[in-house]
Amino acid sequence: MRRFILCLSLCLLPVALAAQQAADAVEPEAAGAGQVAVSEQTLHALEAKAAGRPVEAKDWMVAAANPLAVEVGARVLEQGGTAADAMVAVQAVLGLVEPQSSGLGGGAFLVWYDGESGELTTLDGRETAPLAATPRLFQDEAGEPLDFYDAVVGGRSVGVPGTPALLKAAHEAWGRSEWTGLFDEAIRLADEGFAVSPRLSTMVAGDAVRLTRFAPTRAYFFPEGKLPEVGQVLKNPDYAETLRTLASEGPAPFYTGDIAQDIVATVQGAPGNPGVMEEIDLAIYSVKERAPVCVPYRGYEVCGMGPPSSGALTVGQILGLLAPFDLAGMGAESAEAWRLIGDASRLAFADRGRYMADTDYVPVPVEGLVEPGYLAERAELLKGEAALEAVEPGAPEYDHALNWADDASIEFPSTSHISIVDGYGNALSMTTTIENGFGSRLMVRGFLLNNELTDFSFTSHEDGRPVANRVEPGKRPRSSMAPTIVLKDGKPVLVVGSPGGSRIIGYVAKTIIAHLDWGMDVQEAVALPHLVNRFGTYDVEGGLVSDELVGALAGMGFEVNRNVLTSGLHAISVQEGGLLGGADPRREGVAVGR
Ligand code: GLY
C-alpha cells in the first residue's frame, strides 16, 4: 500500500492544501517531527472530511478519533478480521495516541449487531466502585460536596477499569483474528514513537498544572521537562510492555496479577487524595451483558446501551417525545423544531436525573421511561409555543416503589467513540472513556487511570430521600455514553456515537434527527452545528448557529449561551449499495473503508 506523509492537522486544511501535501509526499522512513505516515486511503478520507463529503465504501468501514488508530483497524478488517477484532486494535492504539480520552485504565460500552444471527447484544465494561466506597465518597466532613477537581485528581475517583476485560469478552464472542496479533501495531507505535497530534499537545498544555502533580504522569507528558510539541515523537515503552502482557496473557494480570497490584498501590498511594480500591475489587470485576434498549422512531428502531448508561434511555426519550411532531416539514433551520428538540431534551434530562442509575443496585423503570403512552403524555407538554418555564421529572410506570431525590452529577466533555462495520455484516458501536480529560491523572505502566467514579452524584440524599445514582460499593456510575445502532426491518442503517460528557446525548439525538428527519448524509449530519439543552440553558455552537435562530430561541424564552461544543461523532450509514462514513470535523478522527 502506498503511504503518504502529511501534517496531522491536515483535517483542518482545505482540500487544495491536502492535495498539495500528497503531491509533496516523502517516504515514511524520512518522516520527521510534525509529520505522520498515512495510507492513500486515509488521505482520501481526510480530504473527503475536509470537503464535507462522506467517505464511501462497499465492504467495511471504521471510524474513530485518530487516523493512526483508524488505519490499524482498517488493516485488521482488510485482512478478514471482524469488527470486534478491529475494535481491539483501534482501542490499543487510541490508548497511546489519544490517552486523554480512553484506554486500558477506563471503561466502555459496546453495542454489537451480529450479521449472521441478526441479534443485538450490549456489553457493559463500565468501571465499578471499590467495596470500601460509601455514598459520602465525594463529600467533606460536613457532608458538603467536594469541588469537582478536588475529587477527580488522585485515587479517590478511580473505578475498577473495565476496558481490558471488555476487549477480551468482545474478542471471545465475535473475534476471528488471533488475539495476540491485534496488539502488534500499537506495540510498535509505543516502542518506536508516534507523532503528537495538535489536540493532544493542546490538551497537555491546558492541563499542565494537574498533569504535573504525579511523578510518572509528569515524566511521560513532559519529556525532559517540556511540553510535547505537535509532531514531536513520543515513545511509551511502559505501555508497549503492558500491551505485550495483555497480548500474551490476556486481561488476567490487570485483575489478579502484578498490574492489579500496581493499580491498587497507585490509587492508595496517590499523594493528597488517596483512594480506597483494594485488590479484591479488581479480582471480582466482570463485564456484563445487558439487554439493549430500543425505541421506535419514524419506522426505525434506535438501539443502544441501557443502565448503567443513561444514553439509550435519554436519547430514546428525546426521540419518543418528538415523534408526534413533523420535524422533517419544519427543517433544520426552524426555531420551532429546535424549541421542540430543546424542551424534549430537558424533559428527558429531568427523568434521567431522578430515575437512571445502575439497575444492579436500584430499580430503574426502564420500560416505563420509554413506554409510548408515557412519552405521548409527556409530549403534550411540548404543545405550546414558548420554552417550558419549569421542567419536572415525570411519573413513569414502575414495578418498585420509587422515591428518589434528584442527582447532582458533574460531567465534563471527554471520551472517544468507535464505529465499525465489517465484511461479514456485523456492526459495532463502542463509546470508551477514562472520564475527564486525562482521567484521574494517575499513570500506571504507561496508561492513565480513570476518574469514572465522579460520574456518581456527589450528593447522596436530599430531605431524607436517597439519590438513585449515589455511590455504593461495587456499583457502576451512571453514564451518558450512547453508542447507538439504528435498525430498519431488523438490519443496521446507522452506527453512531460520540464523546462529550452528558452532551453526548444531545449530539447523538441531533445526528439521528439530521439523518432520518432532515435527510442529511452522515457527514452533514455529524457536522451540523449543535444546539444542546440539558437543564434549561440552550448551548449553541460558537459562531456556527445563525443570529436569527439564536434570537428566535431567545424570543421563545430560552436562555441561550454560545459555547464550544466539542463532540467527536463517528457515524457509518449502511445503504443498499454500500457504506457511507462521517467523522466529526471538530476533532481529528476519520472514517476509512473499502
Ligand atoms: N464519563 C463519561 C460518561 O460515562 O458519560
Side-chain angles (χ1 to χ4, degrees):
M1 191 188 293
R2 255 179 101 201
R3 296 181 72 74
F4 294 88
I5 308 295
L6 79 167
C7 169
L8 253 181
S9 55
L10 170 69
C11 45
L12 304 174
L13 300 177
V15 184
L17 180 52
Q20 179 59 44
Q21 289 200 336
D24 294 344
V26 293
E27 288 304 305
E29 289 70 23
Q35 294 181 311
V36 61
V38 297
S39 69
E40 193 171 356
Q41 202 176 22
T42 305
L43 182 68
H44 289 321
L46 286 166
E47 285 171 358
K49 173 177 161 176
R53 282 186 276 111
V55 171
E56 297 177 28
K58 255 179 80 71
D59 297 329
W60 52 258
M61 185 168 279
V62 47
N66 181 285
L68 293 172
V70 169
E71 290 214 320
V72 170
R75 234 164 289 153
V76 171
L77 295 169
E78 204 162 47
Q79 289 164 8
T82 66
D85 296 323
M87 175 279 289
V88 172
V90 169
Q91 178 66 79
V93 178
L94 283 179
L96 176 71
V97 300
E98 199 203 26
Q100 70 273 18
S101 297
S102 74
L104 298 177
F109 294 115
L110 187 159
V111 184
W112 176 266
Y113 172 84
D114 197 275
E116 200 174 311
S117 67
E119 272 173 29
L120 205 68
T121 307
T122 62
L123 292 184
D124 165 0
R126 185 70 162 168
E127 298 89 336
T128 53
L131 295 176
T134 72
R136 295 188 186 274
L137 184 69
F138 297 120
Q139 295 169 16
D140 64 18
E141 280 165 14
E144 293 300 318
L146 297 178
D147 286 344
F148 183 67
Y149 282 110
D150 288 348
V152 164
V153 181
R156 187 191 298 252
S157 65
V158 181
V160 174
T163 298
L166 180 71
L167 299 188
K168 190 66 177 164
H171 183 261
E172 276 175 1
W174 305 299
R176 281 184 186 219
S177 308
E178 198 195 341
W179 167 259
T180 49
L182 297 173
F183 300 93
D184 288 351
E185 279 301 298
I187 291 169
R188 187 185 63 75
L189 282 167
D191 275 334
E192 294 177 8
F194 67 96
V196 169
S197 76
R199 186 167 170 79
L200 176 55
S201 176
T202 304
M203 290 200 67
V204 172
D207 201 56
V209 172
R210 289 185 275 266
L211 285 174
T212 48
R213 199 163 131 185
F214 306 113
T217 321
R218 181 172 61 236
Y220 178 64
F221 285 105
F222 294 87
E224 295 170 19
K226 291 200 206 104
L227 182 72
E229 288 174 15
V230 176
Q232 181 175 330
V233 175
L234 200 57
K235 297 182 184 181
N236 191 340
D238 291 347
Y239 187 60
E241 203 46 46
T242 298
L243 289 179
R244 278 189 198 97
T245 304
L246 183 58
S248 60
E249 298 177 48
F254 286 81
Y255 294 98
T256 52
D258 52 351
I259 300 180
Q261 287 163 9
D262 277 6
I263 292 173
V264 168
T266 303
V267 167
Q268 291 187 1
N273 193 19
V276 295
M277 189 185 294
E278 295 178 14
E279 285 182 38
I280 182 68
D281 296 309
L282 289 136
I284 62 173
Y285 184 82
S286 66
V287 170
K288 301 207 171 183
E289 185 179 329
R290 309 271 187 192
V293 168
C294 292
V295 175
Y297 186 64
R298 314 275 189 232
Y300 297 82
E301 288 283 311
V302 178
C303 297
M305 192 72 222
S309 187
S310 62
L313 280 175
T314 315
V315 169
Q317 279 207 330
I318 294 170
L319 297 177
L321 289 164
L322 293 169
F325 302 97
D326 179 18
L327 296 183
M330 294 174 204
E333 294 296 317
S334 153
E336 174 64 358
W338 288 107
R339 176 187 73 77
L340 290 164
I341 295 169
D343 272 347
S345 175
R346 289 169 67 198
L347 290 169
F349 267 85
D351 277 3
R352 173 183 176 275
R354 171 127 347 147
Y355 299 115
M356 299 182 201
D358 182 353
T359 36
D360 290 347
Y361 282 73
V362 294
V364 177
V366 171
E367 283 168 23
L369 283 164
V370 288
E371 197 271 313
Y374 171 65
L375 293 176
E377 193 187 305
R378 291 276 276 171
E380 289 293 314
L381 296 169
L382 299 174
K383 289 197 170 151
E385 290 178 355
L388 293 173
E389 272 177 29
V391 169
E392 295 293 331
E397 218 171 87
Y398 59 89
D399 54 15
H400 283 70
L402 305 170
N403 190 21
W404 305 123
D406 294 336
D407 79 328
S409 308
I410 309 164
E411 292 173 66
F412 282 81
S414 52
T415 310
S416 204
H417 182 79
I418 304 168
S419 291
I420 308 178
V421 174
D422 66 24
Y424 308 99
N426 303 308
L428 174 149
S429 185
M430 173 167 136
T431 312
T432 173
T433 188
I434 56 170
E435 216 302 287
N436 197 238
F438 304 99
S440 65
R441 278 71 175 177
L442 294 172
M443 209 162 182
V444 183
R445 294 186 179 228
F447 62 89
L448 285 160
L449 293 175
N450 69 83
N451 66 296
E452 217 69 54
L453 301 186
T454 57
D455 275 358
F456 283 117
S457 175
F458 281 30
T459 56
S460 47
H461 55 277
E462 192 183 299
D463 299 333
R465 285 182 304 147
V467 172
N469 185 36
R470 69 192 178 283
V471 185
E472 294 183 80
K475 191 175 176 181
R476 297 172 190 225
R478 186 192 63 208
S479 171
S480 301
M481 294 196 285
T484 302
I485 298 182
V486 180
L487 304 174
K488 176 85 179 168
D489 302 326
K491 297 221 161 67
V493 293
L494 181 67
V495 182
V496 63
S498 180
S502 56
R503 291 196 186 101
I504 289 172
I505 288 161
Y507 298 152
V508 170
K510 175 219 79 172
T511 306
I512 293 170
I513 292 166
H515 190 55
L516 300 186
D517 287 283
W518 296 330
M520 296 186 189
D521 68 44
V522 271
Q523 187 60 43
E524 284 177 294
V526 159
L528 183 71
H530 293 307
L531 295 94
V532 180
N533 198 330
R534 298 163 298 170
F535 311 111
T537 301
Y538 222 137
D539 293 317
V540 305
E541 190 169 7
L544 299 181
V545 178
S546 70
D547 288 342
E548 197 184 341
L549 181 52
V550 167
L553 290 170
M556 289 169 169
F558 287 105
E559 183 192 325
V560 185
N561 180 29
R562 285 198 187 270
N563 212 333
V564 177
L565 299 176
T566 318
S567 57
L569 287 150
H570 296 119
I572 302 172
S573 78
V574 185
Q575 323 237 318
E576 279 294 314
L579 308 168
L580 292 179
D584 202 316
R586 302 162 186 87
R587 295 207 193 193
E588 295 168 338
V590 65
V592 165
R594 193 204 66 198

PDB file of all heavy atoms in Angstrom, residues 126 411 415 433 435 452 455 479-481, ligand 1:
ATOM      1  N   ARG A 126     -18.250  -1.069  32.150  1.00  0.00           N
ATOM      2  CA  ARG A 126     -18.176   0.140  32.971  1.00  0.00           C
ATOM      3  C   ARG A 126     -17.357  -0.131  34.238  1.00  0.00           C
ATOM      4  O   ARG A 126     -17.389  -1.240  34.781  1.00  0.00           O
ATOM      5  CB  ARG A 126     -19.612   0.530  33.369  1.00  0.00           C
ATOM      6  CG  ARG A 126     -19.760   1.837  34.131  1.00  0.00           C
ATOM      7  CD  ARG A 126     -19.479   3.025  33.274  1.00  0.00           C
ATOM      8  NE  ARG A 126     -20.011   4.262  33.828  1.00  0.00           N
ATOM      9  CZ  ARG A 126     -19.680   5.464  33.356  1.00  0.00           C
ATOM     10  NH1 ARG A 126     -18.842   5.582  32.335  1.00  0.00           N
ATOM     11  NH2 ARG A 126     -20.205   6.557  33.878  1.00  0.00           N
ATOM     12  N   GLU A 411     -20.395  16.367  34.731  1.00  0.00           N
ATOM     13  CA  GLU A 411     -19.657  15.633  33.702  1.00  0.00           C
ATOM     14  C   GLU A 411     -19.081  16.614  32.709  1.00  0.00           C
ATOM     15  O   GLU A 411     -19.794  17.454  32.196  1.00  0.00           O
ATOM     16  CB  GLU A 411     -20.578  14.674  32.956  1.00  0.00           C
ATOM     17  CG  GLU A 411     -21.081  13.526  33.776  1.00  0.00           C
ATOM     18  CD  GLU A 411     -22.113  12.733  32.986  1.00  0.00           C
ATOM     19  OE1 GLU A 411     -21.742  12.131  31.972  1.00  0.00           O
ATOM     20  OE2 GLU A 411     -23.273  12.755  33.387  1.00  0.00           O
ATOM     21  N   THR A 415     -13.771  11.467  26.544  1.00  0.00           N
ATOM     22  CA  THR A 415     -14.248  10.218  25.960  1.00  0.00           C
ATOM     23  C   THR A 415     -13.953  10.090  24.449  1.00  0.00           C
ATOM     24  O   THR A 415     -13.476  11.022  23.815  1.00  0.00           O
ATOM     25  CB  THR A 415     -15.755  10.061  26.272  1.00  0.00           C
ATOM     26  OG1 THR A 415     -15.947  10.271  27.674  1.00  0.00           O
ATOM     27  CG2 THR A 415     -16.335   8.737  25.907  1.00  0.00           C
ATOM     28  N   THR A 433     -13.970   5.411  27.505  1.00  0.00           N
ATOM     29  CA  THR A 433     -13.654   6.624  28.269  1.00  0.00           C
ATOM     30  C   THR A 433     -12.738   6.366  29.451  1.00  0.00           C
ATOM     31  O   THR A 433     -12.695   5.249  29.977  1.00  0.00           O
ATOM     32  CB  THR A 433     -14.978   7.248  28.795  1.00  0.00           C
ATOM     33  OG1 THR A 433     -14.700   8.520  29.388  1.00  0.00           O
ATOM     34  CG2 THR A 433     -15.652   6.358  29.829  1.00  0.00           C
ATOM     35  N   GLU A 435     -13.172   9.094  31.450  1.00  0.00           N
ATOM     36  CA  GLU A 435     -13.992  10.172  32.018  1.00  0.00           C
ATOM     37  C   GLU A 435     -13.398  11.538  31.701  1.00  0.00           C
ATOM     38  O   GLU A 435     -13.402  11.949  30.574  1.00  0.00           O
ATOM     39  CB  GLU A 435     -14.230   9.996  33.519  1.00  0.00           C
ATOM     40  CG  GLU A 435     -15.617  10.441  33.978  1.00  0.00           C
ATOM     41  CD  GLU A 435     -15.975  11.892  33.688  1.00  0.00           C
ATOM     42  OE1 GLU A 435     -15.456  12.805  34.347  1.00  0.00           O
ATOM     43  OE2 GLU A 435     -16.830  12.103  32.797  1.00  0.00           O
ATOM     44  N   GLU A 452     -13.754   7.718  36.761  1.00  0.00           N
ATOM     45  CA  GLU A 452     -15.167   7.464  36.433  1.00  0.00           C
ATOM     46  C   GLU A 452     -16.105   7.613  37.621  1.00  0.00           C
ATOM     47  O   GLU A 452     -17.295   7.886  37.472  1.00  0.00           O
ATOM     48  CB  GLU A 452     -15.323   6.063  35.830  1.00  0.00           C
ATOM     49  CG  GLU A 452     -16.349   5.992  34.738  1.00  0.00           C
ATOM     50  CD  GLU A 452     -15.888   6.742  33.495  1.00  0.00           C
ATOM     51  OE1 GLU A 452     -14.786   6.469  32.997  1.00  0.00           O
ATOM     52  OE2 GLU A 452     -16.646   7.602  33.036  1.00  0.00           O
ATOM     53  N   ASP A 455     -18.687  10.282  38.065  1.00  0.00           N
ATOM     54  CA  ASP A 455     -19.980  10.256  37.359  1.00  0.00           C
ATOM     55  C   ASP A 455     -21.120   9.882  38.307  1.00  0.00           C
ATOM     56  O   ASP A 455     -22.295   9.948  37.928  1.00  0.00           O
ATOM     57  CB  ASP A 455     -19.950   9.276  36.177  1.00  0.00           C
ATOM     58  CG  ASP A 455     -19.382   9.916  34.909  1.00  0.00           C
ATOM     59  OD1 ASP A 455     -19.050  11.111  34.942  1.00  0.00           O
ATOM     60  OD2 ASP A 455     -19.271   9.213  33.888  1.00  0.00           O
ATOM     61  N   SER A 479     -23.760   6.642  33.348  1.00  0.00           N
ATOM     62  CA  SER A 479     -23.026   7.216  32.221  1.00  0.00           C
ATOM     63  C   SER A 479     -23.986   7.942  31.285  1.00  0.00           C
ATOM     64  O   SER A 479     -25.207   7.751  31.361  1.00  0.00           O
ATOM     65  CB  SER A 479     -22.340   6.082  31.457  1.00  0.00           C
ATOM     66  OG  SER A 479     -21.786   6.536  30.253  1.00  0.00           O
ATOM     67  N   SER A 480     -23.418   8.774  30.413  1.00  0.00           N
ATOM     68  CA  SER A 480     -24.201   9.372  29.325  1.00  0.00           C
ATOM     69  C   SER A 480     -23.806   8.778  27.994  1.00  0.00           C
ATOM     70  O   SER A 480     -24.312   9.215  26.953  1.00  0.00           O
ATOM     71  CB  SER A 480     -23.943  10.878  29.250  1.00  0.00           C
ATOM     72  OG  SER A 480     -24.284  11.474  30.458  1.00  0.00           O
ATOM     73  N   MET A 481     -22.901   7.836  28.019  1.00  0.00           N
ATOM     74  CA  MET A 481     -22.396   7.317  26.746  1.00  0.00           C
ATOM     75  C   MET A 481     -23.539   6.627  25.996  1.00  0.00           C
ATOM     76  O   MET A 481     -24.309   5.873  26.576  1.00  0.00           O
ATOM     77  CB  MET A 481     -21.223   6.382  26.988  1.00  0.00           C
ATOM     78  CG  MET A 481     -20.027   7.142  27.568  1.00  0.00           C
ATOM     79  SD  MET A 481     -18.478   6.263  27.486  1.00  0.00           S
ATOM     80  CE  MET A 481     -18.671   5.060  28.794  1.00  0.00           C
TER      81      MET A 481
HETATM   82  N1  GLY B   1     -17.746   9.672  31.700  1.00  0.00           N
HETATM   83  C1  GLY B   1     -18.496   9.867  30.543  1.00  0.00           C
HETATM   84  C2  GLY B   1     -19.764   9.102  30.589  1.00  0.00           C
HETATM   85  O1  GLY B   1     -19.738   7.976  31.031  1.00  0.00           O
HETATM   86  O2  GLY B   1     -20.784   9.584  30.208  1.00  0.00           O
END
